[in-house]
Amino acid sequence: MKLVRHAAAVAVVVTGGALALAAPASASAAASAPTGAKSAAVAAPSEAPVAKYNGACGAGHKVIDSANMENLGTTFLTYNKTTGENCVVTVRTKPGAPVKMFARLSSKTGGTATDRGQFTTYAGPVYIEAPGECVTWEGGITTYSTKGTGHCG
């Protein structure tokens, strides 16, 4: 019986020690999260996307640019060199309840294509054929937007 009590006492001490060691690491991670989120708010288009491209633009489309909106998601600009078609899709990092989102693409000769509404996962895709032309593209999630980004090529 003494052996069982001793083992239980050791388990409590070890468990307590593990919790004490884990607590500072969790607190440290939690304390650094807001700082990371703030720096993501000023993300440059060349920064790694916070959301994964979902292939919504279809076969032959390759991502040529992207822009993050905090840690909420990413707007992707794709291009199909065979068809000369540009496409924009805005993808949330974490799908969930519907929120206001949009994807917009425009060019001088192709006009403007927009998909705006309440979405759970992504807005778009929207397409414009504009081979060799400059396009303006943007996307938004809730109150965040990429604020209109140009791409020529």
Side-chain angles (χ1 to χ4, degrees):
M1 197 62 130
K2 284 186 181 180
L3 198 53
V4 173
R5 286 184 191 162
H6 178 68
V10 170
V12 170
V13 171
V14 170
T15 303
L19 289 175
L21 290 174
S26 298
S28 172
S32 65
T35 304
K38 287 180 184 175
S39 65
V42 292
S46 61
E47 195 172 284
V50 296
K52 291 181 182 178
Y53 173 63
N54 60 1
C57 291
H61 278 266
K62 304 291 181 208
V63 174
I64 59 172
D65 214 343
S66 65
N68 294 328
M69 288 152 285
E70 291 257 344
N71 60 348
L72 298 175
T74 305
T75 297
F76 296 94
L77 172 65
T78 70
Y79 185 72
N80 183 322
K81 66 181 178 180
T82 303
T83 63
E85 190 175 60
N86 294 275
C87 176
V88 172
V89 61
T90 299
V91 182
R92 287 174 67 178
T93 304
K94 295 179 183 175
V99 296
K100 289 181 183 179
M101 295 178 65
F102 75 92
R104 180 178 301 126
L105 177 60
S106 62
S107 73
K108 284 186 179 182
T109 61
T112 300
T114 304
D115 186 24
R116 176 183 300 275
Q118 298 277 328
F119 301 105
T120 60
T121 308
Y122 65 96
V126 293
Y127 302 90
I128 287 183
E129 287 185 33
E133 199 176 321
C134 295
V135 296
T136 301
W137 59 281
E138 64 184 307
I141 301 173
T142 65
T143 60
Y144 295 89
S145 169
T146 62
K147 307 234 188 237
T149 305
H151 189 94
C152 296

